[in-house]
Amino acid sequence: YAVSKVDDDHFLSGSCDRTVKLTNSTTGKVVRIFRGHPNWVLSLAYIIGTDYAVSGSADKTIKLWNIRTGECIRTFKGHSGWIRALADLGCIGGVSSAVAGSKNNSNSN
């Protein structure tokens, strides 16, 4: 359902199997699998210039991942609908920021 470019050699993908996969663009080999969402992964955003990405799910949560270690750093809750869109906003006031949109039209950052 979702794809996000990490660098020239890797991309992230999310799907109905409830995982996020880090894949080598050249070989097609899955480098790492991120597990933790109990429902479909609908949206992804790599936080440019960092080792982090966020995933949004039909479980109504957003997860912050360390893409080098596979660790889920934090789970954000509060949306009442599926997280359908995520975007990296870059550095705002010295803090890496992202924004999310959900089925109920709420948003958070």
Side-chain angles (χ1 to χ4, degrees):
Y1 289 105
V3 177
S4 182
K5 180 180 175 179
V6 174
D7 55 35
D8 289 340
D9 298 319
H10 299 91
F11 66 91
L12 293 163
S13 62
S15 71
C16 61
D17 70 0
R18 304 179 313 239
T19 66
V20 175
K21 293 180 178 82
L22 178 66
T23 302
N24 182 295
S25 306
T26 304
T27 66
K29 180 181 175 185
V30 174
V31 176
R32 185 165 286 109
I33 299 175
F34 307 84
R35 292 182 173 87
H37 283 292
N39 209 326
W40 303 340
V41 177
L42 302 173
S43 54
L44 289 167
Y46 168 66
I47 311 296
I48 296 170
T50 72
D51 288 338
Y52 302 102
V54 286
S55 59
S57 174
D59 66 16
K60 305 173 189 171
T61 68
I62 299 165
K63 292 189 179 290
L64 174 66
W65 303 95
N66 181 315
I67 62 170
R68 302 297 169 213
T69 67
E71 178 186 5
C72 178
I73 305 298
R74 184 171 176 188
T75 300
F76 299 91
K77 300 177 181 180
H79 285 273
S80 60
W82 297 359
I83 311 300
R84 295 181 178 252
L86 289 165
D88 172 30
L89 296 179
C91 191
I92 299 173
V95 177
S96 293
S97 301
V99 66
S102 69
K103 184 177 179 183
N104 67 340
N105 299 322
S106 65
N107 59 53
S108 62
N109 59 14

